[in-house]
Amino acid sequence: MRELFLALLAGDGVHGYELKQALEQEFGALLPALNAGQIYSTLARLERDGLVVGESVEGDNRRKRVYGLTEAGRAELARWIAAPVPGTRLKDEFFMKFAVLASAGLANPRTLIDGQRREYMQSLRDLDAVLAANGNGAAAELLVEGAVLHLKADLEWLELIEERMTP
Amino acid sequence: MTCVLEARSLTKTYDTGGVEVDALRGVDLAVQRGEFVAIMGPSGCGKSTLLNLLAGLDRPTAGEVLLDGERIDELSETELARLRRSKVGFVFQFFNLVPTLSAVENVELPLLLVGRRRREARRSANALMGDLGIGDKHGTAPLLLSGGQQQRVALARALVNEPAIVLGDEPTGNLDSAATREVLGLLRAARDRGQTVLVVTHDSRVAAAADRIVTLRDGRVAEAAALEPPRPVTLPFES
């Protein structure tokens, strides 16, 4: 979220609630309920780290704070823009759990696989329901399509695990 | 709930030139009215055999099949054909539309086969095609339609005589992801209107649309899992 905030603050003079609006516009119903506290605590941390600077301005009748990037913030944003996001490698909570439990004889491998498959199928159903409810933005739609493809790969992998590691 | 389709200890052995192959080894399955069930499993697990037996297209070596409470494994070919026409709708991977008939003529076919009047049949077919979003395709020849549209026509044909159950054999096997979504939406809508749906599929996305997934392995039911209504999905944002 830090880097997303830096990108959204690149325009300077941005209010905290505008950050929330920008995220909502991009991700729609997929965005969890963000409370103002979460937004402002992230901003406070960025400010403490010297990446963001807040400035009080005279509002209608309340004092408001607007935020922008410092020199260090711009450098950090430029670095983030230039660097590709690392690909996921060797990170699978289920398989680590499965391998350890199976070798220790603490659980039935097939039961673990069946349970995991049910969870993946349910997740697929959850995601399909999001796609079926029209009115998602293009970004949200692509995010869900991506998650569906990942789940299908996970399910295929589960087949492979089952083939090789169950008696 | 009432049981629309039931398999009891179904076994099927094929004799392939002196070698006996057990395709099904005692399958029990009960499909309730208004349920959407998906049958999954690796190739050769017996899922197509099971579908053929449930549809009365083939006979079991042992065991019983009950459709709407009636034993169908002992019926004559004529009786089976009559029962299929009135109580079963089929959707196939390759649509199986009659290429020389227009879309609406394909849809009204099951009604004409059970003796409905031509005008009445045409009216029902037109209305259903409208509901399925292909109201403007009545007169079009199937081959001029996209895959998704052809499957909608096939679905209309399967639903038109309000069968007790709609059976699908890889109904989205030949469709791209957008058309798959449409067909899944229509199957779910049919279920929501009280139709019973059973599909055989290897596509996890199709199975995830069902209320219950039955997995076959080596001719037996290995697992039956009920799915819950969809849970809310949100991004895992951390501040």
Side-chain angles (χ1 to χ4, degrees), chain B residues 189-226:
Chain B
R191 188 266 325 268
D192 293 343
R193 286 195 305 269
Q195 284 282 346
T196 309
V197 181
L198 181 139
V199 294
V200 162
T201 185
H202 66 259
D203 184 344
S204 41
R205 200 147 178 193
V206 175
D211 304 309
R212 185 154 60 105
I213 302 172
V214 176
T215 308
L216 295 187
R217 222 176 271 134
D218 298 327
R220 290 194 178 87
V221 174
E223 218 221 336

Side-chain angles (χ1 to χ4, degrees), chain B:
Chain B
M1 278 212 285
T2 42
C3 193
V4 174
L5 188 60
E6 196 176 352
R8 293 180 184 160
S9 314
L10 270 193
T11 68
K12 179 69 182 177
T13 306
Y14 291 108
D15 189 342
T16 51
V19 185
E20 295 207 328
V21 179
D22 293 325
L24 293 181
R25 311 162 188 243
V27 168
D28 291 294
L29 177 72
V31 182
Q32 308 299 327
R33 190 174 300 283
E35 204 182 7
F36 182 169
V37 176
I39 312 279
M40 293 193 87
S43 330
C45 69
K47 49 187 197 297
S48 299
T49 303
L50 177 60
L51 190 75
N52 287 340
L53 295 180
L54 293 175
L57 295 169
D58 198 358
R59 287 171 197 279
T61 308
E64 301 174 2
V65 179
L66 287 90
L67 175 59
D68 234 1
E70 187 181 357
R71 282 278 296 270
I72 65 164
D73 49 283
E74 299 175 314
L75 296 178
S76 71
E77 285 304 324
T78 326
E79 288 170 317
L80 264 179
R82 173 192 56 79
L83 203 69
R84 273 201 304 269
R85 281 201 298 263
S86 62
K87 296 203 166 169
V88 185
F90 286 102
V91 192
F92 303 93
Q93 178 171 1
F94 297 104
F95 323 131
N96 293 25
L97 297 170
V98 183
T100 50
L101 299 179
S102 70
V104 71
E105 286 166 343
N106 268 281
V107 175
E108 69 190 4
L109 205 53
L111 295 174
L112 299 177
L113 287 173
V114 296
R116 295 269 291 274
R117 289 161 171 277
R118 189 166 284 280
R119 271 178 59 187
E120 187 195 336
R122 178 60 58 98
R123 205 178 313 127
S124 305
N126 277 330
L128 184 57
M129 287 178 75
D131 289 346
L132 299 190
I134 41 169
D136 55 339
K137 306 292 180 199
H138 305 283
T140 312
L143 292 176
L144 298 177
L145 299 172
S146 71
Q149 289 165 341
Q150 287 189 58
Q151 198 59 305
R152 282 171 182 243
V153 174
L155 206 54
R157 183 183 59 182
L159 293 168
V160 74
N161 59 357
E162 292 165 18
I165 188 157
V166 177
L167 299 176
D169 190 358
E170 298 285 3
T172 62
N174 219 22
L175 301 179
D176 63 24
S177 103
T180 294
R181 257 162 74 184
E182 282 175 9
V183 168
L184 287 182
L186 294 174
L187 287 174
R188 270 194 296 258
R191 188 266 325 268
D192 293 343
R193 286 195 305 269
Q195 284 282 346
T196 309
V197 181
L198 181 139
V199 294
V200 162
T201 185
H202 66 259
D203 184 344
S204 41
R205 200 147 178 193
V206 175
D211 304 309
R212 185 154 60 105
I213 302 172
V214 176
T215 308
L216 295 187
R217 222 176 271 134
D218 298 327
R220 290 194 178 87
V221 174
E223 218 221 336
L227 293 178
E228 305 291 323
R231 303 168 297 193
V233 179
T234 52
L235 282 161
F237 259 132
E238 289 158 25
S239 48

